[in-house]
Amino acid sequence: QVQLVESGGGLVQAGGSLRLSCAASGSIFSINHMGWYRQAPGKQRELVAAITSGGSTNYADSVKGRFTISRDNAKNTVYLQMNSLKPEDTAVYYCNAIEDSGSYGWEYDYWGQGTQVTVSS
């Protein structure tokens, strides 16, 4: 089983920066995809950014140019650098990892506990 531990959330003024981190531990076959989702009150959870083990990335249109996702495969850790934060970025941010058995033919999603990011105007 994989456990995800997130850190780095907090309260910041508009225009400020935060860096989120998520470390995966436990019995891991392979983690190809890691990413960050967020959910604001009353809204659906949405993808913020994702990265593969090979370094390919994709971002939500709303964060392009402001957020950067990165990954340390040796540490099984993913980061989200958030710059130029806006009040609309306020949400609970969740780390996600997809464990893939490769030729064994299965995969499983894991989620972190969530970390609150609040951006004041």
Side-chain angles (χ1 to χ4, degrees):
Q1 188 176 3
V2 176
Q3 295 83 43
L4 303 178
V5 179
E6 301 146 312
S7 62
L11 175 65
V12 66
Q13 294 183 12
S17 298
L18 287 172
R19 190 188 192 211
L20 307 183
S21 63
C22 173
S25 63
S27 181
I28 302 171
F29 286 90
S30 179
I31 299 177
N32 184 29
H33 291 84
M34 298 190 76
W36 292 93
Y37 288 71
R38 67 186 181 187
Q39 187 169 26
K43 295 186 177 180
Q44 197 170 17
R45 188 174 299 186
E46 63 177 352
L47 174 70
V48 177
I51 187 169
T52 69
S53 60
S56 298
T57 61
N58 68 90
Y59 298 89
D61 289 340
S62 60
V63 307
K64 287 181 179 177
R66 300 188 297 120
F67 291 10
T68 302
I69 189 169
S70 60
R71 178 172 177 170
D72 186 335
N73 290 331
K75 297 180 179 179
N76 286 319
T77 301
V78 64
Y79 306 92
L80 185 68
Q81 179 67 46
M82 304 184 293
N83 299 325
S84 301
L85 283 162
K86 303 175 181 179
E88 51 263 43
D89 295 318
T90 296
V92 178
Y93 284 69
Y94 296 91
C95 180
N96 169 250
I98 300 176
E99 185 182 23
D100 190 344
S101 69
S103 62
Y104 290 96
W106 57 261
E107 64 179 33
Y108 193 83
D109 285 357
Y110 294 92
W111 294 91
Q113 79 284 357
T115 184
Q116 177 70 47
V117 172
T118 302
V119 184
S120 62
S121 60

